[in-house]
Amino acid sequence: MNADLFKYQPGYGQFGDARQFIEQLRNKHWRKRFFWSEAGYPNK
């Protein structure tokens, strides 16, 4: 892999990191059970 790729880290601003973003989506769209099971989050 190119070491230059590791120097770039995008800022997600209001979304936080990926885990926080997914939690926000799960809290907002908790009733979409089929989607969450397909996405690998079956407990919501």
Side-chain angles (χ1 to χ4, degrees):
M1 286 220 164
N2 188 343
D4 292 332
L5 293 176
F6 294 109
K7 293 178 186 177
Y8 176 71
Q9 293 182 344
Y12 297 107
Q14 66 185 10
F15 300 114
D17 63 14
R19 180 182 289 155
Q20 291 170 332
F21 181 67
I22 290 172
E23 280 302 314
Q24 288 173 2
L25 283 177
R26 289 176 72 185
N27 289 331
K28 185 174 182 180
H29 302 289
W30 62 273
R31 294 181 70 186
K32 294 178 172 35
R33 294 183 181 146
F34 180 75
F35 170 81
W36 290 115
S37 67
E38 291 293 310
Y41 297 92
N43 295 331
K44 272 290 184 183

